[in-house]
């Protein structure tokens, strides 16, 4: 019996080269590989040290249109959205598939797989089953073929009153159909089960629940089915489709002749393949392993409550190569062997090839994959109360499981249901092959102190044999992280308002990749990762120095997903600088400077490398260097210029002209009290002149009353996007910074590209939200943050802000997502959901839906942030204040300032028409 259990998912790991010359990990199938270990052993970012409540937490939550039972899949380096991005693929019970930026939450594409004129399947009225309430669409985890950029997925729908199922092959680049898909799934096999015609049994798309994850092996797409709530008639089915043509290759039914007796008409075949959502395991020879649930068994055609080994598809079927059925066929009542999936264990030093499995009865079976053991009741000598013919049997290991095992570093992991006393529903680990025994420890090596519901699911991340973390998604909605070497050690949990994961689905295995953890729930996809972290500083190869010929310089960075920006003229790089796409040719003396930018991280420190190129055989004078380096400062700087060549004379300028030997000679430190660029060159006897070095210094000490222009100074609109970083849908149009452009599901951001002083300031901006309608959504924020120039949060009610840590925001909210009302403002910090608490603007007469131009005036005196919002047409005004230490909140005295916005199902065009930001004098 499936008893309302849903499925887990499959995840394959591949390596591809990235721009930063760092191997990337892909998650393309349920539980990471065809052995179904459930482990990403190439996770180099998350460790048992940095997964804690201070450094780790929720990055964004993205609403989707249905429940997510399929495990999210992940591809790195996808050419999509006008660039190269890491992409998350999410399938919902509303028959939709999304491609989502795995770092920012931006939706690149969404496709509905509901046929024209059709609907999803209603779980109650159509299926009489409340398992996947309220609708059934995509339940089984898809599988991805990176080589052909194809995602394979099965969708269930209702057309003209009939339930149908289709196999789709979608492009991972566009979500368009590939290979002539979709194809309708139909099949029949010889058999005498009562639901057939006496000689054959046909696949029933209404009764068949495509719960297990799909598998892809050697060009074969493998798909399995169980039932909905054990509603009869049903069977376990396995089918294979050609990955290139989508032609059906093979069909197998686990109970084609199943019935109680000669007069049975109930269709008791059963033997569902559901495995709590696990995908079939496949060995190196293409042999397939599945576990079946309660059902008819005869050992020749029907294999209820068994572990079955099938050969690769051929001649229209899968040959049964071997099987194991417990002596008691799993035990009486609802005691599915097949409530848990199968894991193929590494070959031991003695050459043993084993697998492990456990079901509802709580017995661990360790089986020889080359001799599963069949049913010992029918062997000689026959057995009566155990299974002595198999490698190992641990009776009562747990109270029972509705999930699949994990294997990492010599240990097996299951989480169990509760016993008859409501206890022992822990996550457990057992050792395997200790001392080359080839066996599982008879007692757990550790277990969690917390108990969980039976439909909870887990995955593991590690860096090889170190930093193993077991991630458990509990069915109460909490995500837990445990030290995999000791499950009594909790590293972190989402059981807090800040990190809440939302309402869980069943068997929802987390996906862990590139320093992030993704989970699907009843209405969204949630991403977790490092908070307040900084990208690593770029490095250069070959390193700085003097060379006699041109150099091809590679710039690299170890931060996953980082984008590199560089300059060659001595100026400090920003995201408006040259984007690094490949080796830089240095044919004359110059200095390369670079930064790394990655979503959710502070931008890196500037990496710098000076190259001196001598083409005459005589080594050129070294390029001058500046101390302190170029950058933004809050006060006058005393700048020293130095040169590594003995006896060199340095010449410099401060007016933007290129220095020559007729320029000023450097004799001592230069006082830089206002923003300016220093340029310098050096000449030494017997050496050619150096290349010119330049350093730009921005001094933000001036402000109100000081005569210094504001840091941001666009009081009459924006003539250029220079100096700003635009993300998502943000663009410059008609002299305005347009945030959202009237489309659904957007989360743009605009940042002033240079950090500004935030200790005391005044900022003014005009903005307009159109059309003038009470139905616009969702709103925008003014935000101060220290997460870098690539920071932006979620769509919809997240207002493009939620998930940006180390931040302060003032919102202008058009839509009531959580009771905040449809015309509100408020103050928020550290990426909190900008919903409640909120301040209602309505009594003041200010209406965000009016279409009028609104003037926001914000002042901060070091202790209190005050907003005055005025309608420039009606002169209605609203004022509110919030006591806050902004530098402490964002972690520095300088930060990035700008705007974020969001739309969901409701839309708006949100424009910033003008903006000034003025730093106060001490």
């Amino acid at each position: 019996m499936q008893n309302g259990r849903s499925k887990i998912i499959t995840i394959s790991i591949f390596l591809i080269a990235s721009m930063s010359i760092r191997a990337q990990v892909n998650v393309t199938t349920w539980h990471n590989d065809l052995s179904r270990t459930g482990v990403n052993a190439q996770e180099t970012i998350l460790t048992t040290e940095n997964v804690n409540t201070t450094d780790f937490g929720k990055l964004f939550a993205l609403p989707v249109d249905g429940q997510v039972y399929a495990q999210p899949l992940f591809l790195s380096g996808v050419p999509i959205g006008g660039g190269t991005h890491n992409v998350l693929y999410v399938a919902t019970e509303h028959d939709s598939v999304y491609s989502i930026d795995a770092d920012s939450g931006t939706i690149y594409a969404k496709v509905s797989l509901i046929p024209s004129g059709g609907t999803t399947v209603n779980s109650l009225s159509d299926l009489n089953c409340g398992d996947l309430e309220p609708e059934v669409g995509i339940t089984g985890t898809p599988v991805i073929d990176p080589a052909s950029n194809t995602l394979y997925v099965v969708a269930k729908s209702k057309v003209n009153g009939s339930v149908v199922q289709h196999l789709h092959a979608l492009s991972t680049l566009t979500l368009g159909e590939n290979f002539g898909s979709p194809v309708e799934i139909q099949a029949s096999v010889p058999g005498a089960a009562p639901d057939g015609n006496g000689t054959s049994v046909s696949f029933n798309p209404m009764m068949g629940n495509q719960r297990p994850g799909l598998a892809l092996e050697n060009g074969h797409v493998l798909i399995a089915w169980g039932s909905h709530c054990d509603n009869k008639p049903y069977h376990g089915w396995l089918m294979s489709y050609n990955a290139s043509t989508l032609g059906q290759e093979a069909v197998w039914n686990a109970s084609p002749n199943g019935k109680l007796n000669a007069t049975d008409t109930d269709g008791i075949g059963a033997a569902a393949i559901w495995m709590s959502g696990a995908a079939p395991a496949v060995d190196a020879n293409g042999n397939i392993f599945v576990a079946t649930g309660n059902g008819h068994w005869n050992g020749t055609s029907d294999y209820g409550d068994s572990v079955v080994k099938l050969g690769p598809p051929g001649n229209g079927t899968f040959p049964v190569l071997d099987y194991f059925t417990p002596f008691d066929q799993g035990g009486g009542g609802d005691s599915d062997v097949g409530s848990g999936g199968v894991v193929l264990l590494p070959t031991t030093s003695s050459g043993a090839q084993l697998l492990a499995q456990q079901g509802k009865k709580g017995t661990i079976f360790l089986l020889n994959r080359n001799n599963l053991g069949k049913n010992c009741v029918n062997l000689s000598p026959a057995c009566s109360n155990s299974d002595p013919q198999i490698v190992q049997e641990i009776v009562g290991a747990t109270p029972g499981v509705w999930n699949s095992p994990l294997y990492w570093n010599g240990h097996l992991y299951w989480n169990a249901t509760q016993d008859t006393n409501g206890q022992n529903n822990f996550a457990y680990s057992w050792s395997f092959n200790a001392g080359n025994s080839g066996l599982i420890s008879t007692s757990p090596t550790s277990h969690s102190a917390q108990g969980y519901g039976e439909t909870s699911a887990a995955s593991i991340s590690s860096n090889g044999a170190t930093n193993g973390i077991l991630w458990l998604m509990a069915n109460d909605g909490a995500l837990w992280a445990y030290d995999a070497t000791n499950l009594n050690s909790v590293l972190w949990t989402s059981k807090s308002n800040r990190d809440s994961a939302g309402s869980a689905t069943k068997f929802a295995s987390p996906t862990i990749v590139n320093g992030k953890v993704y989970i699907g729930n009843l209405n969204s996809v949630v991403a977790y990762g490092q908070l307040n972290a900084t990208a690593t500083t770029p490095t250069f190869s070959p390193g700085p120095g003097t060379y006699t010929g041109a150099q091809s310089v590679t710039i690299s960075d170890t931060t996953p997903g980082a984008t590199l920006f560089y300059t060659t003229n001595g100026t400090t790089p920003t995201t408006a600088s040259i984007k690094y796409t490949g080796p830089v040719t240095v044919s004359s003396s110059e200095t390369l400077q670079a930064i790394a930018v990655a979503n959710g991280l502070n931008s890196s420190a500037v990496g710098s490398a000076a190259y001196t190129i001598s083409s005459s055989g005589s080594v050129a004078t070294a390029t001058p260097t500046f101390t302190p380096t170029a950058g933004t400062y809050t006060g006058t700087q005393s700048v020293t210029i130095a040169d590594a060549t003995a006896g060199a004379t340095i010449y410099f300028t401060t007016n933007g002209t290129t220095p020559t030997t007729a320029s000023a000679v450097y004799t001592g430190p230069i006082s830089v009290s206002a923003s300016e660029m220093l340029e310098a060159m050096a000449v030494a006897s017997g050496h050619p002149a150096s290349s010119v070095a330049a350093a730009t210094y921005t001094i933000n000490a001036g402000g109100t009353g000081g005569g210094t222009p504001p840091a941001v100074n666009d009081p009459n609109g924006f003539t250029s996007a220079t100096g700003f970083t635009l993300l998502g849908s943000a663009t410059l149009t008609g002299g305005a910074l347009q945030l959202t452009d009237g489309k659904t599901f957007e989360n743009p951001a605009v940042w002033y590209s240079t950090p500004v002083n935030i200790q005391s300031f005044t900022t003014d901006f005009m903005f307009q939200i159109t059309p003038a309608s009470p139905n616009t959504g969702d709103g925008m924020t003014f935000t101060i943050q220290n997460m870098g120039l690539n920071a932006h949060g979620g769509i919809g009610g997240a207002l493009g802000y939620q998930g940006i840590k180390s931040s302060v925001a003032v919102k202008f909210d058009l839509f009531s997502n959580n009771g905040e009302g449809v015309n509100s403002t408020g103050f928020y910090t550290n990426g909190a959901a900008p919903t409640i608490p909120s301040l209602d603007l309505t009594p003041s007469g200010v209406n965000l839906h009016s279409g009028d131009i609104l003037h926001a005036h914000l002042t901060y005196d070091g202790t209190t942030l005050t907003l005055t919002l005025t309608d420039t047409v009606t002169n209605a005004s609203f004022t509110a204040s919030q006591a806050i230490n902004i530098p402490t909140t964002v972690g520095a005295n300088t930060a990035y300032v700008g705007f974020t916005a969001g739309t969901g199902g409701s839309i708006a065009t949100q424009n910033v028409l003008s903006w000034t930001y003025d730093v106060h004098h001490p």
Side-chain angles (χ1 to χ4, degrees):
M1 175 179 176
Q2 293 190 159
N3 195 25
R5 320 303 178 208
S6 223
K7 66 184 65 178
I8 323 181
I9 314 159
T10 320
I11 313 170
S12 292
I13 297 178
F14 299 84
L15 297 179
I16 64 173
S18 74
M19 181 186 73
S20 59
I21 323 299
R22 180 185 183 275
Q24 297 288 312
V25 178
N26 291 335
V27 179
T28 65
T29 186
W30 181 87
H31 261 198
N32 298 77
D33 49 53
L34 290 173
S35 295
R36 310 306 173 193
T37 63
V39 176
N40 172 10
Q42 300 175 66
E43 176 51 59
T44 59
I45 298 175
L46 300 178
T47 70
T48 53
E49 294 296 323
N50 64 29
V51 175
N52 57 61
T53 56
T54 300
D55 301 319
F56 185 85
K58 184 161 67 176
L59 301 177
F60 63 81
L62 180 69
V64 292
D65 65 6
Q67 299 183 16
V68 181
Y69 279 82
Q71 182 175 352
L73 302 179
F74 176 97
L75 285 179
S76 60
V78 179
I80 194 171
T84 301
H85 303 276
N86 298 326
V87 179
L88 198 69
Y89 297 90
V90 176
T92 75
E93 294 291 347
H94 195 63
D95 272 337
S96 294
V97 177
Y98 293 77
S99 60
I100 299 166
D101 190 297
D103 298 311
S104 70
T106 298
I107 296 175
Y108 292 122
K110 173 192 173 185
V111 62
S112 173
L113 303 185
I114 301 174
S116 177
T119 65
T120 55
V121 177
N122 186 287
S123 55
L124 296 179
S125 62
D126 293 324
L127 303 176
N128 190 31
C129 175
D131 180 11
L132 302 172
E133 195 174 356
E135 61 182 347
V136 176
I138 300 171
T139 309
T141 300
V143 67
I144 292 175
D145 178 16
S148 66
N149 296 318
T150 304
L151 179 147
Y152 301 92
V153 61
V154 172
K156 189 168 187 167
S157 52
K158 186 177 181 180
V159 182
N160 298 325
S162 298
V163 175
V164 293
Q165 297 193 35
H166 289 91
L167 171 63
H168 295 259
L170 305 179
S171 165
T172 56
L173 308 182
T174 65
L175 296 187
E177 302 278 2
N178 279 347
F179 311 131
S181 76
V183 295
E184 185 174 353
I185 295 173
Q186 299 174 321
S188 64
V189 296
D195 56 318
N197 62 10
T199 59
S200 66
V201 179
S202 295
F203 173 71
N204 187 328
M206 182 173 74
M207 307 307 292
N209 182 3
Q210 205 289 290
R211 173 159 287 183
L214 277 62
L216 178 65
E217 192 280 328
N218 196 28
H220 308 297
V221 180
L222 306 177
I223 313 168
W225 284 264
S227 75
H228 293 283
C229 292
D230 286 342
N231 292 337
K232 300 180 181 66
Y234 71 90
H235 302 268
W237 291 86
L238 179 69
M239 301 185 199
S240 176
Y241 285 80
N242 184 285
S244 298
T245 67
L246 301 189
Q248 191 179 83
E249 301 174 315
V251 179
W252 181 71
N253 185 313
S255 57
N257 295 301
K259 52 186 176 180
L260 287 174
N261 51 56
T263 62
D264 171 51
T265 59
D266 191 32
I268 197 68
I273 304 172
W274 68 288
M275 301 186 294
S276 293
V282 186
D283 69 15
N285 296 317
N287 298 314
I288 303 157
F289 298 81
V290 296
T292 62
N294 299 327
H296 187 258
W297 179 89
N298 59 25
T300 56
S301 65
D302 293 18
Y303 298 93
D305 281 313
S306 301
V307 176
V308 184
K309 177 181 179 180
L310 302 152
N315 300 317
T317 188
F318 300 87
V320 176
L321 303 180
D322 201 358
Y323 70 90
F324 164 71
T325 308
F327 74 95
D328 58 356
Q329 293 185 36
D334 177 24
S335 54
D336 285 9
V337 169
S339 67
V342 172
V343 64
L344 308 185
L345 299 170
T347 301
T348 67
S349 58
S350 65
Q353 296 179 317
L354 308 176
L355 68 81
Q357 198 274 339
Q358 185 180 180
K360 287 185 181 178
K361 195 175 180 180
T363 297
I364 295 178
F365 302 111
L366 183 64
L367 307 178
N368 181 345
R369 301 197 322 244
N370 300 310
N371 180 13
L372 293 180
K374 298 184 171 59
N375 179 251
C376 63
V377 173
N378 296 320
L379 301 179
S380 181
C383 63
S384 59
N385 59 5
S386 66
D387 296 290
Q389 82 282 19
I390 68 174
V391 177
Q392 188 180 12
E393 181 177 47
I394 305 176
V395 178
T398 71
V401 302
W402 279 258
N403 56 80
S404 292
L406 306 170
Y407 175 79
W408 173 71
N409 199 33
H411 283 79
L412 282 158
Y413 302 81
W414 279 275
N415 48 284
T417 188
Q418 61 188 14
D419 59 22
T420 55
N421 296 317
Q423 299 176 346
N424 296 315
N425 51 331
F426 305 125
Y428 294 90
S429 69
W430 287 262
S431 68
F432 168 69
N433 198 32
N436 294 318
S437 66
L439 300 175
I440 299 170
S441 59
T442 56
S443 298
T445 55
S446 69
H447 69 74
S448 66
Q450 296 75 28
Y452 302 101
E454 59 200 19
T455 61
S456 304
S459 302
I460 290 176
S461 64
S462 75
N463 186 4
T466 64
N467 285 306
I469 301 174
L470 184 140
W471 301 89
L472 189 145
M473 186 63 213
N475 65 352
D476 65 358
L479 178 64
W480 293 77
Y482 291 94
D483 185 335
T485 64
N486 176 14
L487 296 184
N488 195 48
S489 174
V490 176
L491 304 175
W492 171 89
T493 177
S494 69
K495 290 179 73 72
S496 69
N497 290 333
R498 185 195 73 176
D499 294 332
S500 173
S503 299
T505 52
K506 305 167 190 172
F507 319 121
S509 295
T511 297
I512 308 99
V513 60
N514 280 3
K516 295 184 177 67
V517 181
Y518 304 95
I519 60 102
N521 62 28
L522 290 181
N523 54 23
S524 64
V525 177
V526 186
Y528 294 89
Q530 288 182 291
L531 307 176
N532 305 317
T534 300
T536 57
T537 304
T539 58
F540 303 83
S541 179
T546 300
Y547 299 90
T548 58
Q551 299 297 302
S552 179
V553 179
T554 298
I555 310 175
S556 59
D557 193 83
T558 59
T559 304
T563 301
L564 306 181
F565 298 90
Y566 71 96
T567 61
T568 61
N569 60 359
T571 60
T572 301
T574 69
T575 55
S577 302
I578 304 169
K579 182 178 179 180
Y580 177 77
T581 58
V584 180
T585 299
V586 179
S587 56
S588 61
S589 299
E590 63 186 19
T591 298
L592 298 183
Q593 295 189 84
I595 59 169
V597 176
N599 189 68
L601 301 179
N602 294 320
S603 298
S604 74
V606 176
S608 181
Y611 296 87
T612 301
I613 306 298
S614 173
S615 58
S616 63
S618 175
V619 177
T621 307
T623 303
T625 58
F626 302 87
T627 303
T629 59
T632 300
Y633 298 91
T634 59
T636 299
Q637 299 297 301
S638 179
V639 179
T640 299
I641 310 176
D643 195 87
T645 302
T649 300
I650 300 172
Y651 301 87
F652 74 96
T653 62
T654 62
N655 59 0
T657 61
T658 301
T660 67
T661 53
S663 301
V665 175
Y666 174 78
T667 58
I670 301 166
S671 179
V672 179
S673 58
S675 299
E676 65 184 11
M677 176 188 289
L678 297 184
E679 294 182 82
M681 53 90 71
V683 176
S685 177
H687 299 270
S690 76
S691 58
V692 174
T696 298
Y697 296 86
T698 301
I699 307 299
N700 271 343
T704 301
T708 301
V712 182
N713 193 19
D714 294 281
N716 300 310
F718 304 89
T719 59
S720 168
T722 301
F724 297 97
T725 298
L726 279 58
L727 305 177
S729 59
T731 186
L732 180 67
T733 179
L737 293 174
Q738 186 177 85
L739 303 177
T740 59
D741 56 7
K743 296 185 177 66
T744 57
F745 304 112
E746 294 182 323
N747 59 337
V750 173
W751 305 115
Y752 186 58
S753 297
T754 303
V756 298
N757 190 282
I758 56 170
Q759 294 171 286
S760 183
F761 63 84
T762 295
T763 187
D764 288 86
F765 53 92
M766 299 282 193
F767 67 98
Q768 185 177 33
I769 300 172
T770 56
S773 166
N775 300 316
T776 48
D778 275 72
M780 57 179 282
T781 77
F782 171 77
T783 296
I784 303 167
Q785 54 89 10
N786 243 336
M787 296 305 292
L789 288 171
N790 204 31
H792 56 147
I795 62 171
L799 305 186
Y801 168 73
Q802 184 176 346
I804 302 177
K805 307 302 179 182
S806 300
S807 65
V808 175
V810 180
K811 75 163 183 178
F812 307 94
D813 198 339
L814 302 161
F815 193 88
S816 184
N817 286 281
N818 194 29
E820 65 270 33
V822 298
N823 186 41
S824 68
T825 188
F827 302 88
Y828 302 89
T829 61
N830 294 319
T835 53
I836 54 176
S838 63
L839 301 170
D840 187 8
L841 293 169
T842 306
S844 71
V846 175
N847 181 4
L848 298 175
H849 296 270
S850 66
D852 295 344
I853 295 175
L854 303 175
H855 174 203
H857 175 75
L858 283 163
T859 61
Y860 180 61
D861 61 5
T863 59
T864 303
L865 180 61
T866 301
L867 164 69
T868 300
L869 184 63
T870 304
D871 186 317
T872 63
V873 176
T874 67
N875 291 321
S877 186
F878 173 90
T879 299
S881 297
Q882 178 73 39
I884 185 171
N885 188 324
I886 295 179
T888 297
T889 302
V890 304
N893 290 334
T894 61
Y896 296 102
V897 293
F899 304 92
T900 72
T903 62
S906 298
I907 61 172
T909 299
Q910 302 179 74
N911 288 321
V912 178
L913 306 178
S914 65
W915 181 25
T916 61
Y917 181 97
D918 204 3
V919 179
H920 295 173
H921 276 305

